[in-house]
Amino acid sequence: MASNNSENKMEKIVSLCKRRGFVFPSSEIYNGFPAVYDYGSYGVELANNIKIAWWKSMTQYRQDVVGLDSAIFMSPKIWEASGHVKGFSDPLTECRKCHSRLRLDSLLEEAGVFADEKMSEEEINEIFNQNKDKIKCPNCGAQDFTPGKSFNLLVKSNLGNFTGDWSKEPAYLRGETCQGIYVNYKNVLDSARVKIPFGIAQIGKAFRNEITARQFIFRTREFEQMEMQYFIKPDTQEKYYNEWKEARWKFYLDLGIKEENLKWHKHENLVFYAKEAYDIEYNFPFGFKELEGIHARGNYDLNQHSKFSGKDLTYLDPSDNSRFLPNIVETSAGVGRTFLAVLSDAYCEEGEGENFRVVLKISAKLAPVKIAVFPLLKNKPELVAKAKEVFDVLKFDWKCEFDDNGNIGKRYRRQDEIGTPYCLTVDFESLENNDVTLRDRDSMKQERIKIDDLAEYFKKNI
Ligand code: GAP
């Protein structure tokens, strides 16, 4: 039975992701590896399409943002300068009964008590003590916890440490991609013919030792970020901050996400250097949660890297010969969270009984497969040959899938479940008229269209 508001929508999405090859739990044949996921054949297409849309919106549709791909490993000094070695932590508590390790701010939030990840250890423990009677362990129900302690989220490695003593100077797996942008700011400035205001965009993996990782791909220990840092003259911060807020909101609408499922969240408890910070939140099946952060960071990052490296990172403005340390407006989104938002937004159940279908109403530009091509019958070589011909014409411009398995109704359902916007069927009439039946995913309407007109049709509609 169809139910779009069903409480177990999340379970249905997780199950669809596994069944249809979008997302698999990591290392499954070895009983899994917590909070890490792999993207399957359709998942990698969807994730790539999201990244392409972001990359184009940053580096192709505008003149003032250039790309970068910096390495995951960087000098450990970078993480000292950025404040991550000392301050990048979440409050951790342990259930004394079942020994689950839990995030204290999340426990408080679930009990309806406001707590913020930016609170000090003392502050959060004080709130914890005042509300102990309201908090239960989500695994065993006990109410006996150790006091909260700050737990650093940076992931250490032993890269390049041949003495075996890596506690002295560990190489970290980067905790965010933007540090690679800050430390390359001068290189880009000197090589890319850019002038302030300009931005540097990067997509790449980041790693965090998340304490509790639930909610599927929403919070994982290995994930991908799409970050852009915009370097500006200090007195222009408000103007560019507002422009970027608007641009980022529009990005999600352009992906086809329903506006009623997006909202702004203003950070009240700012880190000391931040001038302003908003999140764009999405209405996930488990409620409104952060999709992307847009931060006015002042000149904190370049100032820190200048101090720690001893290098001058100021900018000489050719228009008036003034010299200043640029301020930064940051936009920081997660690929996995956007992926989950797109799936949540697109997941629909329609019809009853034999007409029941699960359909992903994903925008054509993000759909993993754009066009499916079917011969009506697989045991008719002339139909198979004609369908292959159609496939071979279209495959150079669009991701197509050839399917000759099962009855046509079943093939439509399979494509609906992965969000394919168009299906083409080659039948006996096709051999005479050089046309196909084109079936639209959302309306399920069918029309006949000449094979010679297909390219024009898809150019217009995809
Ligand atoms: N450079 C700023 C920064 O990293 P953040 O709020 O920690 O800010 C930015 O992260 C975005 O990265 C988030 O809005 C989210 O989309 C994504 N993200 C952060 N931690 C994540 C995690 N553990 N799993 C998946 N995505 C995550």
Side-chain angles (χ1 to χ4, degrees):
M1 214 185 21
S3 63
N4 285 326
N5 297 323
S6 94
E7 281 171 10
N8 52 8
K9 183 171 173 185
M10 191 63 204
E11 277 167 35
K12 289 178 177 176
I13 291 173
V14 174
S15 148
L16 175 82
C17 280
K18 173 87 199 299
R19 191 170 74 249
R20 301 312 315 272
F22 280 89
V23 180
F24 305 127
S26 162
S27 320
E28 211 183 357
I29 61 167
Y30 288 95
N31 299 325
F33 191 75
V36 182
Y37 288 88
D38 299 334
Y39 288 79
S41 50
Y42 296 126
V44 66
E45 296 290 342
L46 174 56
N48 281 345
N49 292 340
I50 289 169
K51 287 187 270 182
I52 290 167
W54 185 89
W55 192 251
K56 283 190 175 175
S57 78
M58 287 293 175
T59 68
Q60 188 170 319
Y61 305 154
R62 30 192 319 149
Q63 294 271 300
D64 55 349
V65 178
V66 294
L68 177 79
D69 187 9
S70 69
I72 286 173
F73 287 110
M74 295 187 272
S75 162
K77 295 275 178 296
I78 288 172
W79 302 106
E80 276 172 44
S82 66
H84 282 75
V85 172
K86 282 217 176 108
F88 188 48
S89 54
D90 280 337
L92 167 77
T93 182
E94 191 175 318
C95 168
R96 286 203 170 99
K97 190 169 170 217
C98 73
H99 301 291
S100 301
R101 303 180 97 200
L102 303 156
R103 244 180 92 163
L104 190 45
D105 55 333
S106 309
L107 280 180
L108 287 163
E109 199 186 306
E110 275 161 30
V113 181
F114 174 76
D116 196 292
E117 60 197 299
K118 299 195 178 70
M119 284 175 174
S120 69
E121 208 171 284
E122 291 75 42
E123 280 170 325
I124 205 157
N125 272 317
E126 202 181 314
I127 298 177
F128 186 31
N129 287 330
Q130 287 160 2
N131 292 281
K132 268 200 161 142
D133 53 326
K134 294 188 193 148
I135 297 165
K136 278 195 181 123
C137 172
N139 298 317
C140 71
Q143 289 192 293
D144 190 7
F145 298 96
T146 60
K149 271 184 101 170
S150 291
F151 178 77
N152 193 288
L153 303 184
L154 277 182
V155 178
K156 287 175 186 168
S157 84
N158 64 352
L159 183 89
N161 188 312
F162 304 105
T163 65
D165 179 10
W166 53 272
S167 59
K168 265 193 204 144
E169 183 107 317
Y172 299 99
L173 276 75
R174 66 182 171 199
E176 56 181 11
T177 54
C178 60
Q179 297 303 327
I181 296 181
Y182 306 140
V183 300
N184 277 294
Y185 146 80
K186 265 279 179 206
N187 284 335
V188 173
L189 196 59
D190 295 343
S191 60
R193 295 171 48 81
V194 284
K195 275 201 241 134
I196 273 178
F198 76 95
I200 304 177
Q202 165 154 244
I203 299 177
K205 291 260 172 144
F207 303 83
R208 294 183 189 176
N209 228 338
E210 298 285 357
I211 299 168
T212 35
R214 279 178 288 155
Q215 293 152 338
F216 193 38
I217 53 173
F218 179 80
R219 190 181 303 284
T220 51
R221 295 193 173 120
E222 174 179 340
F223 57 98
E224 255 183 313
Q225 288 188 312
M226 305 182 281
E227 295 202 298
M228 191 285 312
Q229 310 294 312
Y230 202 66
F231 298 85
I232 56 175
K233 212 169 175 167
D235 60 1
T236 59
Q237 180 147 290
E238 198 184 330
K239 166 180 152 61
Y240 290 116
Y241 186 69
N242 289 331
E243 279 183 22
W244 276 109
K245 269 179 72 187
E246 209 175 294
R248 296 307 303 147
W249 185 267
K250 188 171 171 296
F251 173 78
Y252 292 105
L253 301 184
D254 289 346
L255 291 188
I257 288 185
K258 297 178 198 84
E259 194 158 17
E260 70 259 29
N261 284 331
L262 295 172
K263 78 173 188 197
W264 287 108
H265 167 77
K266 184 176 170 33
H267 285 224
E268 300 299 344
N269 230 341
L270 291 175
V271 281
F272 71 93
Y273 56 82
K275 304 286 180 257
E276 200 154 25
Y278 275 84
D279 294 336
I280 296 178
E281 293 191 337
Y282 177 77
N283 189 13
F284 290 101
F286 39 85
F288 273 100
K289 296 270 179 216
E290 178 183 342
L291 185 57
E292 158 157 1
I294 298 150
H295 311 126
R297 300 179 63 105
N299 67 10
Y300 173 79
D301 307 283
L302 291 185
N303 198 19
Q304 286 295 98
H305 287 303
S306 184
K307 269 194 211 152
F308 277 70
S309 67
K311 302 286 184 315
D312 177 12
L313 298 179
T314 55
Y315 176 80
L316 178 65
D317 190 336
S319 67
D320 59 6
N321 273 339
S322 62
R323 189 173 270 287
F324 56 85
L325 200 58
N327 275 19
I328 287 172
V329 173
E330 166 181 75
T331 73
S332 176
V335 175
R337 286 192 193 178
T338 310
F339 186 104
L340 188 55
V342 166
L343 286 186
S344 308
D345 222 64
Y347 184 91
C348 288
E349 293 178 354
E350 290 179 349
E352 309 271 319
E354 285 209 332
N355 292 324
F356 174 80
R357 68 169 185 155
V358 170
V359 53
L360 286 186
K361 295 189 175 175
I362 294 184
S363 79
K365 107 171 142 185
L366 294 185
V369 174
K370 316 295 183 203
I371 306 157
V373 185
F374 313 146
L376 181 66
L377 299 167
K378 81 185 216 184
N379 56 0
K380 295 285 171 200
E382 63 276 36
L383 295 187
V384 174
K386 186 83 182 165
K388 286 229 163 103
E389 223 177 83
V390 173
F391 177 88
D392 283 338
V393 169
L394 299 174
K395 72 182 181 190
F396 294 105
D397 291 310
W398 297 282
K399 173 79 185 164
C400 299
E401 192 166 274
F402 184 89
D403 187 5
D404 59 5
N405 215 353
N407 69 42
I408 289 288
K410 275 202 182 130
R411 286 185 246 173
Y412 283 155
R413 294 289 173 269
R414 264 206 299 272
Q415 296 299 330
D416 286 346
E417 274 203 334
I418 61 163
T420 306
Y422 300 104
C423 294
L424 303 177
T425 306
V426 170
D427 56 18
F428 291 105
E429 254 181 73
S430 308
L431 303 178
E432 297 197 349
N433 300 337
N434 204 39
D435 65 1
V436 292
T437 302
L438 181 147
R439 186 253 196 190
D440 180 277
R441 177 195 67 201
D442 298 347
S443 67
M444 294 194 281
K445 281 210 178 105
Q446 300 185 15
E447 58 178 305
R448 294 212 67 100
I449 178 164
K450 293 280 180 210
I451 291 172
D452 293 342
D453 295 340
L454 283 173
E456 203 48 47
Y457 180 91
F458 292 130
K459 243 179 234 158
K460 210 171 109 206
N461 288 288
I462 295 181

